[in-house]
Amino acid sequence: MKRGKDLFYLCNEKIGGFSRTGFLLTLLLAVILLFAGYHFFYIQSPEVKGIEAINYLSADNTIKLTGENIKEIEASIQQGGKTYPLLKDAPDTDNKSYSIKIKPKDLGMTDGKAAITIKAKAGIMKKVQYDREVIIDTVPPTIDITAAPPYISPGGSGFCILKASGEDSVFIQVVDKNNPGNDNTFKAFNISSDTYPNNAQAGRKHSAKPSVSTYYVMFPALYDINEGGVFYAVATDLAGNRSIRALPTRLKMTRYISSSINIDDSFIKRVVYPLLNETNMADIAGAFKKVNEELRRQSLNKLIEISKQTEPKILWEGGFLQLKNSKVMAKYGDMRTYLYNRSPISKSVHLGYDLASLENAPVEAANSGIVRFAGDLSIYGNTVIIDHGLGLMSLYGHLSTMSVREGQKVSKGEIIANTGATGLAGGDHLHFGLLIQGYEVSPLYWWDPHWIKVNITDYFQQ
């Protein structure tokens, strides 16, 4: 009994005016406050990035998440009252990235609504939870090829009619294994009755939400595509499912000529320097190389950008016009090597036709359409680009003057400009090009009404 009393008196012994018990309680409270303050003020809140991009799940998915300031993280997916764990980790570092594989069918889930939950901790007091509703869609869209060209040559143009259902987008994909730089996709356009020229098939009916949609797509074969290149029709949906069909289109190879062009100081100082906004440069040959390669590449990228403004319907009719009374000075696909002091300094491929007539000759719109660009386009000089619909555009370069503005509708044969020698041009002429979704193809086909009839307009009846 005495021992208990001694312990009681010992615990209540005063220290600096406080009982020992009060002192210990105060010390414990201070430690708790320091601990809480450290976690509240000094430990950063956890954050998980990537879940905001998850809206749909297909049959096979890889979700990428990045955790910042995390000590623990877990993820799960729920459907029909059931929870399926996806991730649980206590990383050694505060920041860590995750790739989570989700195959809904393997988990026993069905198509429809589901929810993903992600929880993360940075400490006892710093927690975060993300809840994301998603749609599971494991059924791929369908795609069929109604019409496609049997052959296409490098620099040529192709036209297809495709039918798809359950799709979000349809396109042609070109795969060139020997030159991956030629792997491109070309958008297909969901058509309506006013897509047909001259109201052909005007009585054709389209429901507001047709179960099967019809698509038109124009696509190029790039001038340097290899013989093993393959064209595919692809349909994708919002969940990322896709269906692929190979076109029956075969490549019919052709050869383009090669030529050498001598470049002298006079040409570089008179033509090249102004394009670089310079009057004098130490490296004369380097100046030409910069214009011919760097500025040319920038101009070609600009063409792709402009091409995205195309109308989703056909605006042109019949064959395209060639510059009146003109002589062909250079053809499409000419492989050029430029010589300075008899040494090669640069190369390029001429991707249009150079047409010469009288100086400042009037330039007609090759076909009907809408002006998408009218201004300076670097190596092309003063340039007009007309949209003819479905990604098809005509380009008129090196102009002296332009008489149209962007957004203006023009008719076939209407005067739009005058020839000149602006840009990278040695004399007065017209650079005429045909673009398909931003890539120049040979105009030769489009000057031929019979080729257009057989390879495009006859397809409308299929």
Side-chain angles (χ1 to χ4, degrees):
M1 192 68 184
K2 181 180 179 181
R3 191 171 184 179
K5 289 182 178 180
D6 291 342
L7 182 62
F8 173 79
Y9 287 118
L10 179 64
C11 291
N12 285 277
E13 182 181 343
K14 291 188 177 182
I15 301 176
F18 289 96
S19 69
R20 185 181 296 273
T21 300
F23 174 77
L24 292 175
L25 290 173
T26 301
L27 181 62
L28 178 61
L29 179 61
V31 171
I32 292 173
L33 290 174
L34 286 171
F35 179 81
Y38 172 78
H39 278 266
F40 188 81
F41 292 106
Y42 292 98
I43 293 181
Q44 293 182 319
S45 298
E47 186 177 3
V48 180
K49 297 179 179 179
I51 189 171
E52 65 279 356
I54 307 170
N55 297 300
Y56 292 84
L57 295 177
S58 62
D60 189 354
N61 310 267
T62 300
I63 294 176
K64 295 188 179 296
L65 301 175
T66 300
E68 297 181 358
N69 310 314
I70 59 172
K71 295 298 182 184
E72 296 179 27
I73 184 172
E74 60 180 77
S76 61
I77 186 169
Q78 304 89 38
Q79 187 185 60
K82 295 182 179 179
T83 298
Y84 308 88
L86 301 174
L87 169 70
K88 189 170 185 179
D89 188 35
D92 296 330
T93 59
D94 289 346
N95 300 339
K96 188 173 180 180
S97 296
Y98 298 91
S99 293
I100 305 173
K101 293 287 290 184
I102 304 178
K103 295 184 177 181
K105 286 188 175 180
D106 289 355
L107 296 174
M109 305 179 76
T110 60
D111 283 12
K113 291 184 178 180
I116 292 178
T117 298
I118 298 175
K119 300 178 181 179
K121 297 180 180 180
I124 295 176
M125 303 180 67
K126 294 292 179 74
K127 304 177 183 179
V128 68
Q129 178 171 324
Y130 303 86
D131 296 296
R132 186 78 172 179
E133 186 175 280
V134 297
I135 301 295
I136 298 175
D137 178 4
T138 61
V139 179
T142 66
I143 187 165
D144 292 298
I145 302 165
T146 300
Y151 295 99
I152 188 171
S153 296
S157 308
F159 176 76
C160 280
I161 299 178
L162 309 171
K163 291 186 181 295
S165 63
E167 81 290 352
D168 176 62
S169 68
V170 177
F171 53 88
I172 295 294
Q173 182 173 359
V174 183
V175 177
D176 186 353
K177 291 184 178 179
N178 294 324
N179 187 357
N182 283 345
D183 291 358
N184 291 287
T185 59
F186 301 101
K187 179 182 177 180
F189 295 86
N190 194 340
I191 66 157
S192 57
S193 58
D194 62 355
T195 302
Y196 299 93
N198 297 325
N199 290 322
Q201 299 191 32
R204 181 181 175 123
K205 302 295 182 182
H206 297 271
S207 62
K209 293 184 179 180
S211 58
V212 177
S213 298
T214 300
Y215 287 81
Y216 284 176
V217 56
M218 292 185 185
F219 62 95
L222 301 189
Y223 70 91
D224 58 347
I225 191 170
N226 289 280
E227 194 168 2
V230 181
F231 302 89
Y232 296 96
V234 183
T236 64
D237 62 21
L238 293 172
N241 301 298
R242 66 176 186 169
S243 294
I244 301 173
R245 299 286 183 271
L247 299 188
T249 307
R250 304 279 182 168
L251 278 165
K252 189 174 183 180
M253 303 308 291
T254 186
R255 279 189 173 186
Y256 292 112
I257 65 171
S258 298
S259 63
S260 296
I261 299 177
N262 290 304
I263 302 297
D264 58 19
D265 288 3
S266 174
F267 176 82
I268 294 176
K269 293 176 180 179
R270 179 173 51 85
V271 176
V272 173
Y273 281 4
L275 290 171
L276 296 173
N277 203 29
E278 297 285 352
T279 59
N280 188 32
M281 299 182 72
D283 185 0
I284 295 179
F288 178 83
K289 183 177 177 67
K290 182 175 183 178
V291 167
N292 187 56
E293 296 176 15
E294 185 177 325
L295 296 194
R296 183 181 297 277
R297 182 169 57 253
Q298 293 173 6
S299 297
L300 296 178
N301 289 337
K302 180 67 175 178
L303 294 181
I304 295 174
E305 180 185 331
I306 294 170
S307 74
K308 296 176 182 178
Q309 304 175 52
T310 189
E311 285 289 302
K313 59 184 179 181
I314 291 174
L315 303 176
W316 50 270
E317 180 181 348
F320 282 62
L321 301 178
Q322 182 177 335
L323 179 68
K324 283 184 177 179
N325 304 315
S326 62
K327 180 180 179 181
V328 175
M329 306 302 292
K331 298 180 180 180
Y332 179 94
D334 182 5
M335 311 286 187
R336 294 174 171 178
T337 299
Y338 297 93
L339 306 177
Y340 179 73
N341 291 335
R342 298 183 179 180
S343 297
I345 58 170
S346 189
K347 293 184 177 182
S348 72
V349 180
H350 189 248
L351 297 177
Y353 267 68
D354 284 348
L355 306 172
S357 181
L358 299 174
E359 189 173 347
N360 294 325
V363 177
E364 299 175 325
N367 220 311
S368 301
I370 301 171
V371 177
R372 294 301 181 197
F373 183 86
D376 180 69
L377 191 55
S378 189
I379 65 166
Y380 292 98
N382 291 332
T383 303
V384 171
I385 297 176
I386 299 175
D387 174 25
H388 304 289
L390 300 183
L392 177 65
M393 297 187 179
S394 54
L395 180 152
Y396 312 79
H398 306 314
L399 304 170
S400 59
T401 60
M402 298 171 287
S403 53
V404 291
R405 64 186 184 281
E406 292 179 17
Q408 179 179 336
K409 292 182 178 180
V410 294
S411 301
K412 184 176 180 178
E414 182 178 340
I415 302 300
I416 60 170
N418 293 86
T419 62
T422 56
L424 191 59
D428 188 294
H429 71 280
L430 172 69
H431 174 95
F432 179 73
L434 258 297
L435 309 171
I436 292 184
Q437 303 207 22
Y439 293 87
E440 286 195 76
V441 296
S442 176
L444 193 61
Y445 303 98
W446 295 91
W447 283 329
D448 182 357
H450 178 72
W451 180 89
I452 292 175
K453 179 180 182 301
V454 171
N455 291 277
I456 300 179
T457 53
D458 281 357
Y459 286 3
F460 299 151
Q461 309 305 322
Q462 297 186 29

